Amino acid sequence: MAAKDSAKTADAAAPASRQALFWTTVGYALMILGALGALLLIRSYGIVLVAPPAVAPHTVAEATGTGADVFLHVLLALSAVIMTGLILAKCLAYLGQPPVIGEVIAGIVLGPSFLGAEASAVLLPRTVAPFLGVIAQLGVLLYMFTIGLELHTDLMRHRTHATVAISHTSILVPFVLGALLALELYPRLSSSDVPFMSFALFMGVAMSITAFPVLARILTDRRMIRTELGAIALSCAAIDDVTAWCLLAFVVGVAQAQGGAGLVVAAGTLAYITLMFLLVRPLLRRVVAWWDTEPLPRSAIACVFVALLLSGLATEYIGIHAIFGAFLFGAIIPHDSPVARTFTRQLDSVVTVLLLPAFFAFTGMRTRIDLVSSMDQWLICGLIVVVATGGKFGGTVLAARLTGLRWRQAAALGTLMNTRGLMELIVLNIGLDLKVVSPTLFAMMVLMALATTLATAPVLQVLRPSTAAEDEPGRASSCHR
């Protein structure tokens, strides 16, 4: 009898499950179509906008110096940024802020925004910028590789279509709002040599970023990493990372090429991603299985580094940034393998303590907060923060509520997904390199990244007491693993 009752229950539940899946699929398709329709509508208004003419670059007489002088300044700059970042990180830790906030602020403090152009030039002269930029790019390349290594794809498998819906809603809503905001910003803060659609797409991506590593650090510090809320946040952030980097790859391809060439870049990107997952990933799993002991042989470490550099070289050749290739290569390596554990452990201190400060210093040199001078510009900066927060927080909360989370859980999840941090700075530097964003807009967006990340800890502290009882580790263990 019990078996018959169980079979009847299963038979009754099956149509309900299929119906729920059907309506979820319909809702997801309508959300995608709505976003595409909104982008087409924004484009129809944006292509008629006229931006100011491009400003000719200032010719600055570079100070001449020997290689020893440049090397001396690089060592001095790295030492200053590391020490300043360490001090600020310790101070901000008392306010519940992650260390990356102090490190980012250290780069800005030592730049021209606070020290002034003359004082900053003593510490970070223009002759140092190209060399510091190379170190910064290498640091970000290795950092994105480690982020790929730590990407738990099993979290995405074990959190069903509901998590995917939350994640993609938290991308699409700020993406569309960012493109909509471009209608206001393009005539004011762009230039005529930047196509409107490249500008609008980049603004959409910049608004959509979630800092997966910073979010994971916040969850770990607050002992939320194994809670139900923590598992959902990590799953959504992981999917966000993959989706956002794919979008960024497409946008970079569009920005670097014109007309049909942009489609070639997009097609090349899609082909490379398909190749990596369908061909390289199975082959890599077999190779990694041979190296099942620690420590890894020297030849294995050399092979992984060569493959990492070749992956970055391939994506750079396709027309997208090399860091996308590094992230993708890290993502296809099994995160629980000896290879992933070895590289994560050995690269962690070198990358985060030594090489990333070069990126923060390089970003600080390029951030000119003094360019945001008038009240109108500060109001625009505030508008950017409001749109970024409203899109990310609002989109996440809306989707979380529709998938069954309580209001406070949904609000806490929205707060976590609004964390941007270092990932946003990486995206913004790419935009500045491509000249899609101006130095003034770059400074505004850096301030937005700092504001949204700084707000995460205090807001979460307010919401956390009410979610603590709901998110016991015992309930979440099946979700997280």
Side-chain angles (χ1 to χ4, degrees):
M1 288 296 292
K4 290 183 179 179
D5 292 341
S6 177
K8 289 180 180 179
T9 303
D11 291 340
S17 177
R18 286 195 295 269
Q19 186 178 14
L21 180 60
F22 171 77
W23 285 113
T24 300
T25 305
V26 170
Y28 188 69
L30 290 175
M31 180 177 66
I32 297 292
L33 292 174
L36 290 175
L39 285 177
L40 291 175
L41 184 61
I42 291 169
R43 180 181 181 275
S44 67
Y45 282 97
I47 57 176
V48 300
L49 295 176
V50 178
V55 179
H58 296 288
T59 55
V60 180
E62 300 287 352
T64 58
T66 65
D69 291 335
V70 171
F71 185 59
L72 177 67
H73 278 292
V74 169
L75 295 180
L76 179 62
L78 286 177
S79 301
V81 173
I82 291 173
M83 290 305 301
T84 307
L86 182 62
I87 293 170
L88 290 176
K90 292 290 185 183
C91 295
L92 290 171
Y94 291 105
L95 301 176
Q97 297 294 340
V100 67
I101 293 295
E103 294 162 356
V104 172
I105 295 176
I108 297 175
V109 166
L110 296 176
S113 295
F114 284 87
L115 288 183
E118 294 183 2
S120 178
V122 174
L123 182 63
L124 301 172
R126 290 182 178 273
T127 50
V128 174
F131 303 94
L132 199 60
V134 171
I135 299 174
Q137 293 296 331
L138 178 62
V140 172
L141 183 86
L142 294 176
Y143 176 74
M144 292 307 302
F145 172 61
T146 61
I147 294 302
L149 291 175
E150 294 176 352
L151 185 64
H152 292 212
T153 53
D154 57 334
L155 287 176
M156 289 180 276
R157 288 198 301 268
H158 287 90
R159 303 301 304 178
T160 56
H161 54 274
T163 300
V164 176
I166 295 173
S167 174
H168 283 178
T169 304
S170 72
I171 287 181
L172 284 176
V173 173
F175 187 93
V176 173
L177 289 180
L180 185 62
L181 182 63
L183 293 173
E184 179 69 21
L185 300 184
Y186 181 72
R188 299 170 181 264
L189 297 172
S190 187
S191 58
S192 56
D193 59 340
V194 178
F196 170 77
M197 208 55 196
S198 296
F199 181 82
L201 289 174
F202 186 84
M203 286 299 300
V205 172
M207 293 291 186
S208 305
I209 294 297
T210 291
F212 179 80
V214 178
L215 182 146
R217 179 63 179 268
I218 292 173
L219 291 173
T220 302
D221 290 345
R222 295 186 173 277
R223 299 180 182 178
M224 297 171 60
I225 198 76
R226 294 187 180 276
T227 65
E228 182 182 7
L229 179 63
I232 295 173
L234 283 176
S235 301
C236 291
I239 298 171
D240 261 23
D241 263 2
V242 175
T243 307
W245 282 105
C246 290
L247 283 173
L248 180 64
F250 173 76
V251 172
V252 169
V254 171
Q256 286 186 327
Q258 297 293 331
L263 296 177
V264 172
V265 173
T269 302
L270 181 61
Y272 185 71
I273 294 173
T274 304
L275 176 69
M276 291 292 281
F277 276 96
L278 297 185
L279 181 62
V280 178
R281 185 180 185 182
L283 179 62
L284 191 60
R285 286 183 179 274
R286 295 182 181 181
V287 174
V288 168
W290 296 341
W291 301 325
D292 58 351
T293 58
E294 297 184 59
L296 292 177
R298 186 183 183 91
S299 58
I301 295 176
C303 288
V304 172
F305 270 126
V306 170
L308 163 65
L309 296 175
L310 289 177
S311 182
L313 182 64
T315 53
E316 189 76 31
Y317 178 78
I318 289 172
I320 57 178
H321 205 282
I323 61 176
F324 180 75
F327 171 77
L328 189 60
F329 181 69
I332 65 174
I333 296 177
H335 76 272
D336 55 350
S337 65
V339 172
R341 290 195 299 269
T342 297
F343 277 87
T344 300
R345 183 176 61 251
Q346 294 184 357
L347 289 177
D348 181 62
S349 296
V350 175
V351 172
T352 59
V353 178
L354 179 62
L355 296 180
L356 277 186
F359 176 76
F360 297 134
F362 189 61
T363 302
M365 290 177 67
R366 310 172 92 185
T367 303
R368 296 292 305 275
I369 298 178
D370 55 306
L371 294 177
V372 188
S373 55
S374 67
M375 181 57 67
D376 287 344
Q377 289 178 328
W378 279 108
L379 288 175
I380 292 174
C381 185
L383 178 62
I384 290 173
V385 174
V386 170
V387 171
T389 302
K392 200 70 174 178
F393 180 84
T396 302
V397 170
L398 176 63
R401 280 294 296 155
L402 291 176
T403 54
L405 275 93
R406 300 177 182 89
W407 274 113
R408 285 190 176 272
Q409 281 185 311
L413 181 61
T415 302
L416 287 166
M417 296 298 288
N418 196 40
T419 303
R420 286 176 172 85
L422 177 60
M423 305 294 283
E424 181 75 18
L425 296 185
I426 294 174
V427 171
L428 293 178
N429 273 277
I430 292 174
L432 190 61
D433 289 336
L434 295 174
K435 296 181 173 57
V436 176
V437 297
S438 64
T440 303
L441 182 57
F442 178 80
M444 293 178 178
M445 297 294 285
V446 169
L447 291 174
M448 180 272 289
L450 284 173
T452 53
T453 309
L454 281 167
T456 301
V459 174
L460 194 62
Q461 182 63 33
V462 174
L463 296 171
R464 175 60 180 159
S466 296
T467 59
E470 302 167 1
D471 297 329
E472 295 296 334
R475 292 184 57 189
S477 58
S478 62
C479 300
H480 181 68
R481 297 290 298 175

